[in-house]
Amino acid sequence: MVAFHASALDGIARNSALPTPLLLRLLAFDGGGGRPPRDALRRGGLAGQAVGVILAHPDPGVRIDFALSARAEAVQRARLADDSSPKVRVALAYGPDRLPRTTVEPLPDAVCARLLDDPDPSVRAALLDSPHLAPSFVASMAAHHDPAARRGAVRAWGILSPGERSALLADPDPGVRQGAALRECRGDARLTAELLRGPESAAEALRHGLLARTDAERCVAERRHLEALAENPSLPADLVERLAVDPDEAVRLAVSVRPELDETRRMAIDFTADDFDRGDGVRWVRDGSADPEVLRRAATSAHPLLRRAAARSPHLPPDLLRLLARVEDPVLENLLGIHHPDTPEEVLMRVFARLGGTFSAWMAETHPRFPREGLAARYADHPDGNYRRLAVRDPAATPELIERLSHDPAVWTRQAAVGDPRLPLHRLREALLVPELASSAGANPALPEDEMAAVMDRAGVPA
């Protein structure tokens, strides 16, 4: 296995024990001889003085990194709204990447409004694409002068006033009118019929719109967007039965996850669930992910896609979580490990054992409920270095064991041991000078302050 080499300075940047004076020194690169490591810019709980240094940094890349920090407070990131670089404002407008188990605080509505009127079109576009906008701001865009903003406001259809909905349905921009109609058609068969005549809107209208029987029969006869039609909640029962035996497997699968079917009828359909399908497309479960009754129906189903869709919800009650944890389904276990805060230890361990080195295994290992006690006794002498690394997690691991593991043949085990505060200081100092261990050693919270300063000296960070 090839080690990832990073410098001791990179480790210092993410060291939780880094004192404020050294952090300020690390942040104060002038932009000519270098720039701060990214982890220094994306730390949580930055003091106001540190934020001020970042905002004033001459390198736009530094300010972009801060704009994309999921750990920074929204009011701190918001101070970049008037930054001189459009690229910085684009980063601010879109915000951090969305990751499971990570919550990003939305920017204040007033700041979003300024970004929406930014003179640079790329900033405006980035804001409208952002996954972090507060619903209140999305709804406020209904009366904006830019048609793109009004199209975005349609996403907040459920909280718009009747007057705002009517205005969007009669909007002078055809894209806005179509987006609004696709929301309103869920209770309006006339609107649905109109949307069926448009090639861009037909499939979505068939999926969600209130259907007149004649329109539904015609689409079945013409075999038009049958997979979308099979999801439609207003599809007459006899047409549902026809699609349940359709020759197209994708259509039968779409019918099989309809919410009104009982288990006997659902499991009588000849469907095949893909081994990698995570149930994202089961909209009624996704939309009801906080509804106990929806979750119970999905989690207790024999249909693998319904169970997987339920596993994506962080709101599973304990009995349903225990039920799903007993199901032999690797995809379901992965989803529990990624999305659920109370996933049982044994599930997380199975994911790690099966998928070591993958994103799902990493999400399992970093889960707050991943096991710790007893790992040293079980794995310190395991033939697989990926397991020996787990011994470092055990609170009962001794300094002698940690030091031994810091010399392990497997680089990932050595790195884990070197980052542990129980590592004896003499070995920690040695590791700072070993390329594949330097970053882990620099991040060790037991590293003395004078050693951190020495790392900065060697890296050329101005005092």
Side-chain angles (χ1 to χ4, degrees), residues 70 96-104 132 278 280 311-312 314 334-341 359-360 362-364 366-368:
D97 290 334
R98 175 182 283 174
L99 291 174
R101 300 204 303 259
T102 300
T103 300
V104 175
H132 307 301
R278 302 181 303 170
D280 308 59
R312 296 172 61 84
N334 297 352
L335 292 170
L336 287 176
I338 290 172
H339 295 284
H340 205 283
F359 173 77
S360 292
W362 177 78
M363 288 296 294
T366 57
H367 194 287

Side-chain angles (χ1 to χ4, degrees), residues 391-405:
V392 177
R393 299 177 59 91
D394 192 332
T398 64
E400 292 76 19
L401 175 59
I402 299 298
E403 181 170 9
R404 190 191 99 194
L405 293 174

